[in-house]
Amino acid sequence: MTAALVRLKQVAYLADAASRHELVASRVLTAFAPEAVVGSAARIAAHMRRRQSGQAPEPDDRLDAARQTALHEIALGHVVSTSSQGRDYVHTAGARVLIGTLRSLQKSGLAERVPESAPPAYVPGGRQDRIRLTTAGAIALATVIGSSPATGDPSPTPAPAPAATKTAPRGR
């Protein structure tokens, strides 16, 4: 718990220092801030759940495993979206987030798209839309952060490997 609090203080210090630098330097200083903040929040939430087992908030019933994973990735700043020829695409730097899950989160008011707020994926590509949590999304994530994911796996289960069979040698 102490380490999580120290990390949060470090992030606050770096964010303050970054505000006094050029944009590129500030991005370098704060590049790992989302991971540090979300990781620290998860550790603090898990610690608080252990200490106050009867007083923990009820998990948001709208959040299945895929939605929990998507909210977590969005909080980390890993999710961007682009459109091309009338189709939407989701790009993530972490766990896979499906476009249907993202649309569902947006429709529920848990996530929103900020147009052209993320750098292009390639040069000279166009800017991408950053996906971010709404206040409702942050509150929903707070009810499950630091706990095990909801039942069900958001990623497809790989097919089992075929069992090795022994064949009898052919007799002539």
Side-chain angles (χ1 to χ4, degrees), residues 140-158:
L141 180 59
T143 66
V144 296
I145 196 165
S147 62
S148 58
T151 56
D153 186 4
S155 60
T157 305

Side-chain angles (χ1 to χ4, degrees), residues 88-156:
D88 290 331
Y89 299 93
V90 175
H91 306 280
T92 60
R96 185 174 167 194
V97 175
L98 300 175
I99 187 72
T101 303
L102 180 58
R103 286 182 181 142
S104 172
L105 291 171
Q106 289 176 307
K107 186 176 179 182
S108 300
L110 301 177
E112 65 185 2
R113 184 183 304 234
V114 182
E116 298 183 5
S117 59
Y122 59 90
V123 175
R127 295 186 60 81
Q128 302 177 90
D129 300 342
R130 171 84 52 212
I131 307 300
R132 69 176 193 175
L133 295 178
T134 61
T135 301
I139 291 169
L141 180 59
T143 66
V144 296
I145 196 165
S147 62
S148 58
T151 56
D153 186 4
S155 60

